[in-house]
Amino acid sequence: MYGRSGRWRHGAAGLAVGVLLTGCSGGGGTDTEDAVDRAKAGTTASGATDAGSEGKGGDPTPGPSVSGGPDFTPDESRIPRTRGEALRLARAVAAEPGRYGPGYVKRSPYESDPGSLAVLDEDCVWQREPLPPSVLTSFTRYSELPAKGGKGPIRIAATVVVHREVDDAEWEMARTLEEALRCPEQQLSGSERITGLLSAGLPFGAGNFSSDDAVSEHGEYHSDELGGPHYYIWGQSRLDQVTVSVVGKGSEGRTEEEIDTAVTQGTGDMLAEVESELEASQ
């Protein structure tokens, strides 16, 4: 279930393990400045939430140059140029419950409004805003493994963001580094927050062989409903002008391994679907 691409079968372990163990960062001050410099050079790291997992837009400023990448050649005629085309692609790619493993079901609401996206404000609180000009669509599906046998639920959100240009997608990956460093604690909603965030980034070839670049964040999840702290992980990968991300939030009795597995599996399947949708015929 790691998708159609043989590259992902090797790259999944790199994303699930290597992203979490290399390049971890946190804090601020001069570390933030150094991290932003690295981001501009093409090394990325990120932060996201249930709201944040729905992707981060940005202005159309030209992005950093990223060298190398997977053996993937998009067909120019298949690249979305309108919001309608982008939403069709996002719906085809966004992971459904069965992608994470047995027992996962739809949450309610199941799908987000594709006309808006989540933005982390200056107070480290996630807000929804209209799509910026550089983003064609941001689309999320929500799933969960229900509580059972004394264990709480695992909650998952899978997001696809389609940008107008590759540069815009590159900057989405890069600017999230600053957000993770700026806000090691983030408010997801009135009843949910995450703390102790650590982020890491893997460009293609550094343990990541399934996407142009990949980022991950992990920390502790707190919920008025589910208590906490519980395990939290978020991962995002980019192919061309499309980013895909999955966030996993744990609860009582759930292990890091089972949440990591769901996030890795969902991300891998979505990357394979992006390739299927956009790759040029050989």
Side-chain angles (χ1 to χ4, degrees):
M1 289 195 60
Y2 285 102
R4 302 170 189 168
S5 169
R7 291 195 303 281
W8 177 254
R9 296 178 192 277
H10 297 288
L15 181 59
V17 179
V19 158
L20 294 176
L21 298 181
T22 55
C24 288
S25 55
T30 56
D31 290 342
T32 301
E33 295 173 3
D34 291 343
V36 171
D37 288 341
R38 290 196 299 271
K40 290 179 179 178
T43 301
T44 58
S46 177
T49 65
D50 193 301
S53 71
E54 296 176 21
K56 307 175 184 75
D59 58 44
T61 307
S65 175
V66 177
S67 60
D71 183 18
F72 167 66
T73 303
D75 184 337
E76 289 295 324
S77 68
R78 303 178 74 177
I79 293 176
R81 298 301 181 193
T82 68
R83 289 192 167 173
E85 292 171 349
L87 181 56
R88 187 210 63 78
L89 182 145
R91 287 184 177 278
V93 170
E96 298 180 339
R99 298 290 188 174
Y100 306 112
Y104 279 86
V105 299
K106 297 178 180 179
R107 288 187 64 195
S108 180
Y110 177 50
E111 297 180 341
S112 70
D113 172 11
S116 65
L117 81 168
V119 177
L120 188 64
D121 69 18
E122 293 302 313
D123 296 321
C124 301
V125 177
W126 286 96
Q127 310 285 351
R128 296 207 65 83
E129 295 185 358
L131 295 178
S134 61
V135 176
L136 290 172
T137 197
S138 175
F139 179 71
T140 299
R141 285 190 172 127
Y142 302 95
S143 303
E144 75 172 8
L145 184 63
K148 185 178 181 180
K151 297 180 179 180
I154 296 175
R155 290 181 174 165
I156 301 282
T159 297
V160 181
V161 179
V162 183
H163 296 264
R164 289 189 183 276
E165 304 293 342
V166 174
D167 284 348
D168 301 323
E170 290 174 350
W171 267 119
E172 178 195 347
M173 301 291 286
R175 74 167 53 82
T176 52
L177 172 60
E178 185 275 333
E179 291 182 337
L181 296 172
R182 175 173 64 89
C183 295
E185 296 189 10
Q186 299 174 5
Q187 192 74 31
L188 311 187
S189 66
S191 62
E192 296 179 302
R193 63 189 177 93
I194 46 177
T195 62
L197 298 179
L198 294 174
S199 60
L202 286 180
F204 177 79
N208 164 33
F209 299 96
S210 55
S211 62
D212 293 311
D213 47 281
V215 298
S216 180
E217 179 176 273
H218 62 109
E220 294 182 332
Y221 168 65
H222 306 258
S223 163
D224 290 352
E225 176 190 355
L226 301 175
H230 302 301
Y231 185 63
Y232 170 91
I233 184 171
W234 174 89
Q236 178 169 284
S237 297
R238 179 183 66 84
L239 275 178
D240 204 60
Q241 71 192 70
V242 180
T243 63
V244 300
S245 61
V246 180
V247 61
K249 298 184 295 185
S251 61
E252 189 69 28
R254 297 299 184 178
T255 67
E256 295 182 9
E257 182 179 4
E258 62 185 327
I259 300 168
D260 286 343
T261 296
V263 169
T264 300
Q265 201 151 282
T267 304
D269 280 350
M270 289 201 293
L271 284 171
E273 289 297 333
V274 173
E275 288 194 26
S276 177
E277 290 289 326
L278 298 183
E279 193 161 28
S281 301
Q282 300 297 321

